[in-house]
Amino acid sequence: MSSTAQTHKFEAEVAQVLHLVTHSLYSHKEIFLRELVSNASDACDKLRFEALGKPELLSGSGELRIDIRVDKDARTLTIRDNGIGMTRDEVIANIGTIASSGTRKYLEALSVEKKADANLIGQFGVGFYSAFVVADKVTLTTRKAGEDIATGVRWESTGTGEYTLETLDVAERGTSVTLHLKADEDEFLHAWQLRSLVARYSDHIGFPIRMPVEKDGKSTDEWEVVNQASALWTRPKSELGDEEYQNFYKHISHDFNDALAWTHNRVEGNQNFTSLLYIPAKSPFDFMGGGRDERKGLKLYVKRVFIMDAAEQLLPAYLRFVRGVVDSDDLPLNVSREILQQNRNLEKLKAACTKRVLDLLDKLAKDEPEKFATFWKEFGQVFKEGIAEDFANKERIAKLLRFASTHTGGAEQTVSLDDVIGRMKAGQDDIYYLTADGYAAARSSPQLEALKTHGIEVLLLTDRIDEWLSNYLTEYAGKKLRNVAKGDLDLSKFGGANEEQRKQAEKAAEGVVKKLKDLLGERVREVRVSARLTDSPAVLVLDEHDMSPAMQRLLKQAGHDAPESKPVLEINPTNVLVKRLESEGDNARAGDLALLLLEQARILEGQQLEDPAAYVRRVNDLLVNAA
Ligand code: ADP
Ligand code: MG
């Protein structure tokens, strides 16, 4: 039985993707085969999983497999699987529309680069359309496992605005995709070429990929398996080369770049599982934005059967960049997400996977610093979340953190806490850091002046997350982490002013301190002589337990109430502006100068002035008066 073909229009976005695919993908055209084989393999995985509860689904067409066949006369190439198949509605939903939020990103990425690399396509969940890179017509025939023969569907399109759908009898379950090759794509009609592509891109697929045996250059009816057909992670490490690992990585991650590093382990004993975990070399397009792929690409298998994408269950959120496979022998096969959450083995599995990733990062930090630097550049921000999230591994995570520092003189984050400890001055007990909105602001902050004179290294924390991080990271290797803008900074141990000298300086500055206090009134909590400054006139400091202004800003931006704490203004009595204020007889002008000192100190902290116009007026008045 067969209905007449109905014509449907593609969703506007699909049409756009197709247009780009057919007009701008020139390099790596051959990846269409990888994408279609990968879909076929997913379909077999899905059926094997469904069949756990309904074994009858597997009856009929033998073992799960993928067949590739060419017809030289018709100039077609067909990829057929006996996996889960699709109903008519599923064909419309999966092939005619785009569920993925990544599509727009994909379109953007493509339109930047006119002759884009076809490799990009799989990353955005639109791999099926890569068929149109080499074909001017694609016919997909499918029937869902367990459904009636008469529910078969044929979908066909030339990759322009429309596709047709018809219902027909399909004897075997599963999906077959036939590509009617474009005139200049003859190379994909050669069996040897296809075999070498399978070997290159799809060798690791866990199902047999078969092609017809050739005799005298002609296909026969006999089939032979052309891939390894065993799950890659089950094979011994010694048998696997880098290229095989990298190809497998691309398959599971949909990343077209090579992975940065991986760790492959088999654990036997209390727990029995295999893990193959990768660190990507680049963060995906929608990674930080919380895109749908953020937690995709870490697959849970139970005894070689694919169960689900389970990144959330298998790794903590701060390791969400990791891709890979975990294959457990201990979990029940009929495990669901809900059951999984309560399973005690899972907690152990998660801890073990976390340990593997941290071990791998340790190794990179030690033996392959360039790779570690790449990791840090791409994922350091996310990794920092671990300090708050993973209490058990806090010290290990802290050891792997990297920061900018006054020691290196660049914005790159390359300095570890151990580096700082190694360079500590005699008598130094604390690790000093400064938080700021950006590297330039941090680098030239007056808070650093005195520390600089004494050659003490200060970490410059300038990422958005750092302010928050510093609340959780208060100690490392027995050393306290100290915010240089908070509390009393005693530098006497390093040759700074001692108690006696400070008392003297305070005495000498009593007049100007009092004058400032009177002039500023309620605006500040206190005015005092600073041990931090050598050049600048003034700086704002906080008490040990005050919330920093940056943190207050973050909280307010997030819609929370933030406790308003009044700052302490520290001054440098040797500075000319402060001296000028001291000797200023005109009360109004002294008031302007005092406000100016406070406002400038606030600007240096990255704060917004409530009345910038008044500030500018004051500066201009003083300039005119000075002239
Ligand atoms: P992705 O594989 O990333 O989801 P694709 O564009 O490759 O994106 O495929 C889109 C969807 O079409 C798949 O998610 C799947 O639901 C469906 N599909 C494609 N090929 C097959 C197939 N051989 N068998 C069953 N479903 C398929
Ligand atoms: Mg796909």
Side-chain angles (χ1 to χ4, degrees):
M1 242 204 4
S2 165
S3 72
T4 47
Q6 284 179 342
T7 303
H8 296 249
K9 272 204 172 355
F10 280 118
E11 222 183 19
E13 275 200 325
V14 177
Q16 242 176 312
V17 169
L18 281 171
H19 183 82
L20 278 164
V21 163
T22 45
H23 291 92
S24 37
L25 300 187
Y26 295 96
S27 55
H28 295 108
K29 286 180 172 187
E30 74 281 3
I31 62 92
F32 77 88
L33 191 65
R34 176 183 79 192
E35 294 299 328
L36 296 178
V37 168
S38 150
N39 285 350
S41 157
D42 288 350
C44 292
D45 266 335
K46 281 180 200 157
L47 178 58
R48 192 160 60 179
F49 178 65
E50 296 263 310
L52 291 174
K54 288 189 222 160
E56 66 276 14
L57 288 180
L58 278 176
S59 67
S61 71
E63 76 169 336
L64 292 164
R65 60 165 187 266
I66 299 157
D67 291 345
I68 301 175
R69 165 163 226 138
V70 292
D71 181 335
K72 283 193 175 130
D73 299 329
R75 306 194 65 263
T76 60
L77 164 63
T78 299
I79 294 111
R80 156 153 192 82
D81 66 72
N82 58 356
I84 190 82
M86 283 179 275
T87 65
R88 185 188 166 95
D89 287 348
E90 284 169 344
V91 171
I92 295 174
N94 298 338
I95 308 286
T97 57
I98 298 182
S100 151
S101 62
T103 314
R104 183 151 289 119
K105 297 258 168 55
Y106 175 68
L107 292 173
E108 280 161 16
L110 270 190
S111 51
V112 174
E113 223 184 314
K114 275 280 166 289
K115 294 197 172 182
D117 191 326
N119 250 323
L120 272 170
I121 199 164
Q123 191 181 3
F124 296 93
V126 288
F128 176 78
Y129 302 120
S130 64
F132 289 100
V133 175
V134 294
D136 46 27
K137 186 164 86 179
V138 176
T139 312
L140 173 147
T141 310
T142 184
R143 201 254 293 161
K144 180 102 176 180
E147 300 286 330
D148 201 83
I149 284 177
T151 64
V153 185
R154 180 187 289 142
W155 175 101
E156 195 164 79
S157 177
T158 55
T160 45
E162 305 170 337
Y163 61 92
T164 60
L165 267 187
E166 65 190 290
T167 308
L168 74 172
D169 288 356
V170 174
E172 266 198 277
R173 67 154 196 266
T175 303
S176 102
V177 179
T178 297
L179 312 188
H180 306 262
L181 294 172
K182 288 180 185 168
D184 48 354
E185 303 298 349
D186 283 358
E187 60 173 308
F188 301 113
L189 291 170
H190 299 304
W192 56 267
Q193 165 76 339
L194 296 169
R195 278 170 196 238
S196 92
L197 288 176
V198 169
R200 181 135 128 242
Y201 289 122
S202 310
D203 200 36
H204 55 78
I205 295 282
F207 302 96
I209 301 174
R210 309 189 311 176
M211 288 183 66
V213 175
E214 300 247 311
K215 252 197 195 113
D216 308 326
K218 285 222 157 49
S219 303
T220 64
D221 288 338
E222 219 180 304
W223 292 93
E224 66 183 325
V225 176
V226 296
N227 68 330
Q228 284 273 351
S230 65
L232 177 120
W233 62 91
T234 60
R235 292 162 57 194
K237 277 197 233 188
S238 54
E239 259 184 31
L240 293 165
D242 285 1
E243 207 187 339
E244 281 165 299
Y245 277 116
Q246 293 288 16
N247 278 323
F248 183 68
Y249 166 73
K250 288 173 186 168
H251 168 65
I252 52 161
S253 68
H254 288 301
D255 187 355
F256 58 92
N257 299 294
D258 276 350
L260 186 68
W262 57 87
T263 170
H264 183 190
N265 302 282
R266 167 97 199 132
V267 173
E268 273 161 47
N270 275 343
Q271 296 184 84
N272 298 284
F273 72 95
T274 303
S275 61
L276 172 53
L277 303 171
Y278 292 90
I279 297 175
K282 281 209 85 56
S283 62
F285 282 82
D286 54 357
F287 184 63
M288 289 304 279
R292 67 155 195 158
D293 290 334
E294 188 168 303
R295 313 286 323 249
K296 227 182 159 182
L298 188 54
K299 295 177 185 301
L300 174 65
Y301 283 74
V302 174
K303 302 184 187 79
R304 256 65 65 211
V305 178
F306 173 68
I307 306 295
M308 63 179 119
D309 277 297
E312 276 152 87
Q313 286 79 13
L314 294 171
L315 279 176
Y318 73 100
L319 299 179
R320 61 185 176 273
F321 50 84
V322 172
R323 300 287 179 261
V325 165
V326 176
D327 189 345
S328 161
D329 291 347
D330 308 324
L331 292 170
L333 265 168
N334 61 352
V335 60
S336 69
R337 244 169 238 289
E338 294 68 41
I339 294 178
L340 202 54
Q341 254 139 30
Q342 293 153 15
N343 192 294
R344 257 184 292 128
N345 281 322
L346 191 77
E347 268 313 301
K348 289 191 216 147
L349 206 54
K350 190 171 176 178
C353 290
T354 304
K355 182 175 175 303
R356 293 291 174 207
V357 176
L358 294 177
D359 287 347
L360 176 60
L361 288 172
D362 280 346
K363 205 167 110 237
L364 290 186
K366 198 162 141 271
D367 304 331
E368 296 182 273
E370 270 171 37
K371 284 191 180 172
F372 187 82
T374 303
F375 154 74
W376 189 259
K377 201 163 122 287
E378 295 294 319
F379 304 112
Q381 303 249 354
V382 175
F383 185 74
K384 283 178 190 172
E385 295 170 14
I387 289 290
E389 187 186 359
D390 189 353
F391 190 74
N393 290 303
K394 191 168 173 180
E395 195 80 2
R396 290 195 71 180
I397 296 167
K399 197 180 184 66
L400 290 164
L401 297 178
R402 296 293 182 270
F403 302 98
S405 137
T406 52
H407 185 83
T408 55
E412 292 79 37
Q413 301 178 354
T414 54
V415 173
S416 71
L417 295 171
D418 289 321
D419 292 338
V420 180
I421 292 173
R423 290 192 282 260
M424 278 183 164
K425 297 277 162 205
Q428 186 178 346
D429 299 318
D430 300 335
I431 299 171
Y432 293 105
Y433 69 89
L434 173 74
T435 59
D437 282 346
Y439 175 75
R443 186 69 224 190
S444 49
S445 168
Q447 308 276 11
L448 302 175
E449 286 175 3
L451 289 151
K452 250 184 238 167
T453 9
H454 298 299
I456 293 169
E457 179 167 12
V458 180
L459 295 174
L460 306 175
L461 275 57
T462 56
D463 286 336
R464 255 184 90 81
I465 188 178
D466 285 346
E467 194 58 52
W468 176 84
L469 172 81
S470 66
N471 289 330
Y472 288 92
L473 186 65
T474 53
E475 216 179 295
Y476 172 74
K479 312 275 182 209
K480 290 238 169 348
L481 272 87
R482 280 210 48 178
N483 186 335
V484 298
K486 278 189 175 181
D488 188 36
L489 194 65
D490 180 2
L491 300 177
S492 57
K493 280 184 279 190
F494 315 112
N498 61 29
E499 188 75 6
E500 191 59 26
Q501 292 163 317
R502 285 174 73 172
K503 283 229 171 83
Q504 269 170 19
E506 271 162 29
K507 193 118 192 85
E510 246 170 17
V512 70
V513 165
K514 165 118 187 14
K515 192 166 183 179
L516 266 167
K517 262 184 203 159
D518 292 343
L519 290 167
L520 293 174
E522 288 298 295
R523 292 185 185 87
V524 292
R525 179 166 10 165
E526 196 194 333
V527 179
R528 66 182 182 224
V529 174
S530 184
R532 292 175 166 83
L533 300 174
T534 58
D535 300 323
S536 303
V539 73
L540 291 177
V541 299
L542 295 166
D543 271 350
E544 210 62 68
H545 300 291
D546 282 350
M547 189 181 282
S548 72
M551 193 69 199
Q552 290 177 25
R553 279 201 295 283
L554 281 181
L555 279 178
K556 278 192 195 141
Q557 277 162 20
H560 299 287
D561 290 335
E564 202 77 48
S565 50
K566 272 192 214 160
V568 171
L569 185 71
E570 287 196 353
I571 59 160
N572 171 10
T574 62
N575 175 278
V576 279
L577 208 56
V578 178
K579 289 202 156 124
R580 164 88 201 277
L581 172 73
E582 192 171 10
S583 60
E584 180 59 67
D586 181 300
N587 225 4
R589 221 177 290 158
D592 275 358
L593 264 175
L595 267 182
L596 210 66
L597 284 183
L598 177 64
E599 285 169 330
Q600 289 186 342
R602 291 183 53 186
I603 291 173
L604 285 168
E605 290 300 312
Q607 298 181 29
Q608 296 260 321
L609 300 180
E610 283 110 36
D611 189 353
Y615 167 76
V616 170
R617 202 171 341 103
R618 272 191 287 279
V619 173
N620 290 349
D621 283 353
L622 285 163
L623 283 172
V624 170
N625 278 331

